[in-house]
Amino acid sequence: GTQELYRVVSSVHSNFRSTFPTLVTYEAPPLAAVSEGKGCMNLQEYFRLPSVSRLVVSFRWMDQGWGIRKGRLGLSIHRDSKAIIHHSFTEPNHPAPLHLEDRVYDVPCSILQFCRPNDEIVIWRYAGGGSSHILSVLFFQARYWPGTISSSTSVAAIPKELS
């Protein structure tokens, strides 16, 4: 993967390494038994990242272990403190499992293309509404390459199905 490429390029010429984007790894604190207040149906911020050109997340997670599964994780791209797009790390009919499960998700370029240099990526959690629904997340790791894919994509160009 990327680490092997760095080793090969570095052995050819030490200046080549600076021409590749730098891989950054962020390990988020665990969310153990996080719940929303009664009736809370909002996305809750987990942590923030700078604009990225590529993002791969991995985590171990589960819903409360019984009842209706509602838990989700995803991201929003924020520009000038306003979310311009929301994206879930799972399909709408596949919320968090009832038992601990490992997941790796490579955020599609079709989402990250909307990042501009001063935007922020907000990683969010959604435990679900109702009466204190619980979502647990362990070992969340974000591996990303800072920067942007394109600075010419306008907010108006965001397809409605992505927001």
Side-chain angles (χ1 to χ4, degrees):
T2 304
Q3 298 297 344
E4 293 86 21
L5 177 63
Y6 279 140
R7 271 186 252 137
V8 170
V9 170
S10 293
S11 68
V12 174
H13 193 287
S14 61
N15 290 334
F16 282 165
R17 186 178 183 128
S18 65
T19 64
F20 290 97
T22 302
L23 172 65
V24 178
T25 300
Y26 174 77
E27 294 184 10
L31 291 173
V34 172
S35 66
E36 312 301 337
K38 188 172 184 173
C40 180
M41 297 295 286
N42 297 324
L43 305 178
Q44 303 294 315
E45 183 176 323
Y46 185 12
F47 62 90
R48 291 179 179 244
L49 298 172
S51 288
V52 301
S53 58
R54 180 149 185 230
L55 173 61
V56 178
V57 296
S58 59
F59 49 90
R60 180 173 293 161
W61 71 332
M62 70 176 277
D63 207 83
Q64 62 190 9
W66 55 270
I68 299 171
R69 299 180 310 148
K70 302 176 187 177
R72 296 195 178 289
L73 292 170
L75 67 82
S76 298
I77 298 173
H78 282 231
R79 183 169 300 144
D80 300 323
S81 300
K82 182 181 178 192
I84 61 166
I85 192 169
H86 299 292
H87 178 72
S88 178
F89 297 152
T90 60
E91 296 295 320
N93 55 346
H94 290 92
L98 292 175
H99 304 285
L100 281 174
E101 179 180 286
D102 292 329
R103 181 148 172 84
V104 176
Y105 185 73
D106 192 345
V107 178
C109 290
S110 61
I111 300 299
L112 297 178
Q113 70 177 335
F114 298 104
C115 275
R116 292 212 181 130
N118 293 319
D119 291 349
E120 284 187 299
I121 304 290
V122 174
I123 304 298
W124 50 258
R125 62 181 170 80
Y126 173 75
S131 184
S132 299
H133 202 84
I134 296 171
L135 174 66
S136 296
V137 181
L138 306 169
F139 311 115
F140 192 106
Q141 185 179 72
R143 291 176 306 163
Y144 63 94
W145 289 259
T148 60
I149 295 172
S150 168
S151 60
S152 61
T153 309
S154 73
V155 174
I158 299 173
K160 293 298 178 203
E161 64 270 14
L162 297 181
S163 1

